[in-house]
Amino acid sequence: MRIVALAGGIGGARFLRGLREAIGPEDEITVIGNTGDDIHLFGLKVCPDLDTVMYTLGGGIHEEQGWGRTDETWSIKAEMKEYGVGPEWFGLGDRDFATHLVRSQMLTAGYTLSQVTEALCVRWRPGVRLLPMSDDRVETHVRITDEQGTRAVHFQEYWVKLHAAVDAEAIVPVGADTAKPAPGVLEALAEADVILFPPSNPVVSIGTVLAVPGIREAVAAASAPVVGLSPIIGGAPVRGMADKVLAAVGVEATAEAVALHYGSTLIDGWLVDTVDEAAVAAVEAGGIACRAVPLLMTDVAATAEMARAALALAEQVRR
């Protein structure tokens, strides 16, 4: 079985760890990772979502945070502060710095982001094929209005520095409209037996991947069933502040609303948590098969059960 998953950061990475446990030894997983969160800091190219997937599946993630490296130290950050060089709000640990140094050196030498990601994965051996959504530069920006007036900020500044405390008025994936899917992305979607949308942010993670011309169309045209898992449980995000960016695109923070936001032209099946079982009928009225199952990723075993439920629903809705 060839499985393709569109994924963002923490939620996507943790789901993939369960998916990897749920499949057989002959099955293959290709991950199309969001690069809209990418940012240039300290002269380095930082790819938060790609790295979170790589570290999580490779056993190097800081489990409590869900991002960054385990056993991290912060000497470089402290020295940068002494020099008065920021930003201080974005934490890069010493071990993490090494990844960004290697990536930036390779990009400067002329390698593509796809090639660099493949090379980094040689060390981490994540057990999946990890592809960036595009080799072209795409950055998600958020339009806000605060004491400085109406302005656009990088998504990382909105999320990490401002903690999404200001209303998001618009989400703009800058550069996405002229970007091209990375090599292998469209081919993986066309050849997939199952396509999954993990419980990643539907606007700034999976939504940004789908914003690259050709990817949404390839998902919609795929012969494989497309099944998503709700990142919203009981009317609130499981993690993070997805409700803030959902509001910016006019979508309620409910499991039902997110399913209908994707729509029946894109997804065939949708899993909601058992606390949202009342949403099943409304989702199915929208032309999307829906089941209620436990969706809290409390550990790898529970997450593997979620993945099995998604694969089972995919078989039920196979076109």
Side-chain angles (χ1 to χ4, degrees), residues 95-113:
R95 292 170 180 265
D96 204 20
F97 241 103
T99 298
H100 310 313
L101 281 168
V102 173
R103 176 186 292 115
S104 301
Q105 286 178 338
M106 292 187 69
L107 290 172
T108 300
Y111 291 95
T112 65
L113 183 58

Side-chain angles (χ1 to χ4, degrees), residues 80-128:
M80 298 297 281
K81 183 177 180 180
E82 290 298 321
Y83 281 113
V85 176
E88 294 182 18
W89 53 265
F90 198 98
L92 292 180
D94 301 333
R95 292 170 180 265
D96 204 20
F97 241 103
T99 298
H100 310 313
L101 281 168
V102 173
R103 176 186 292 115
S104 301
Q105 286 178 338
M106 292 187 69
L107 290 172
T108 300
Y111 291 95
T112 65
L113 183 58
S114 295
Q115 292 169 326
V116 174
T117 303
E118 183 178 4
L120 293 173
C121 284
V122 170
R123 174 190 177 183
W124 290 102
R125 303 187 183 279
V128 303

Side-chain angles (χ1 to χ4, degrees), residues 149-193:
T150 299
R151 59 195 179 102
V153 298
H154 192 287
F155 174 72
Q156 293 294 344
E157 181 174 352
Y158 178 74
W159 207 252
V160 180
K161 181 181 181 181
L162 301 178
H163 303 290
V166 191
D167 287 342
E169 299 170 354
I171 309 296
V172 184
V174 178
D177 56 339
T178 58
K180 296 179 180 178
V185 167
L186 298 184
E187 293 82 356
L189 291 168
E191 297 168 2
D193 296 306

Side-chain angles (χ1 to χ4, degrees), residues 49-312:
D49 283 5
L50 293 180
D51 290 346
T52 295
V53 170
M54 187 173 67
Y55 293 158
T56 300
L57 298 183
I61 199 74
H62 189 299
E63 287 290 347
E64 290 73 26
Q65 292 178 164
W67 55 270
R69 293 286 306 281
T70 187
D71 299 323
E72 189 58 281
T73 54
W74 302 90
S75 298
I76 297 176
K77 183 180 180 182
E79 285 298 306
M80 298 297 281
K81 183 177 180 180
E82 290 298 321
Y83 281 113
V85 176
E88 294 182 18
W89 53 265
F90 198 98
L92 292 180
D94 301 333
R95 292 170 180 265
D96 204 20
F97 241 103
T99 298
H100 310 313
L101 281 168
V102 173
R103 176 186 292 115
S104 301
Q105 286 178 338
M106 292 187 69
L107 290 172
T108 300
Y111 291 95
T112 65
L113 183 58
S114 295
Q115 292 169 326
V116 174
T117 303
E118 183 178 4
L120 293 173
C121 284
V122 170
R123 174 190 177 183
W124 290 102
R125 303 187 183 279
V128 303
R129 183 187 183 201
L130 178 59
L131 302 176
M133 67 188 193
S134 177
D135 285 338
D136 299 318
R137 184 171 177 173
V138 179
E139 292 184 0
T140 301
H141 287 203
V142 182
R143 191 183 74 212
I144 63 172
T145 299
D146 59 9
E147 65 277 1
Q148 299 181 44
T150 299
R151 59 195 179 102
V153 298
H154 192 287
F155 174 72
Q156 293 294 344
E157 181 174 352
Y158 178 74
W159 207 252
V160 180
K161 181 181 181 181
L162 301 178
H163 303 290
V166 191
D167 287 342
E169 299 170 354
I171 309 296
V172 184
V174 178
D177 56 339
T178 58
K180 296 179 180 178
V185 167
L186 298 184
E187 293 82 356
L189 291 168
E191 297 168 2
D193 296 306
V194 177
I195 299 173
L196 298 177
F197 288 5
S200 297
N201 192 304
V203 180
V204 296
S205 293
I206 294 177
T208 302
V209 175
L210 294 171
V212 175
I215 295 183
R216 176 182 288 271
E217 294 80 1
V219 172
S223 59
V226 182
V227 172
L229 298 92
S230 177
I232 305 294
I233 294 179
V238 177
R239 185 185 180 96
M241 298 156 278
D243 51 330
K244 295 285 188 176
V245 292
L246 281 168
V249 297
V251 178
E252 287 185 275
T254 67
E256 170 192 341
V258 174
L260 299 178
H261 169 66
Y262 285 130
S264 60
T265 59
L266 197 63
I267 62 173
D268 304 296
W270 186 246
L271 293 181
V272 301
D273 189 78
T274 50
V275 302
D276 294 310
E277 190 167 4
V280 170
V283 174
E284 295 203 323
I288 302 166
C290 187
R291 305 289 184 270
V293 299
L295 288 186
L296 286 176
M297 295 187 285
T298 52
D299 54 33
V300 175
T303 309
E305 283 302 310
M306 288 169 51
R308 293 186 186 98
L311 295 174

Side-chain angles (χ1 to χ4, degrees), residues 34-50:
N34 169 46
T35 61
D37 284 15
D38 291 7
I39 189 169
H40 286 78
L41 296 169
F42 311 108
L44 303 177
K45 169 83 165 179
V46 180
C47 300
D49 283 5
L50 293 180

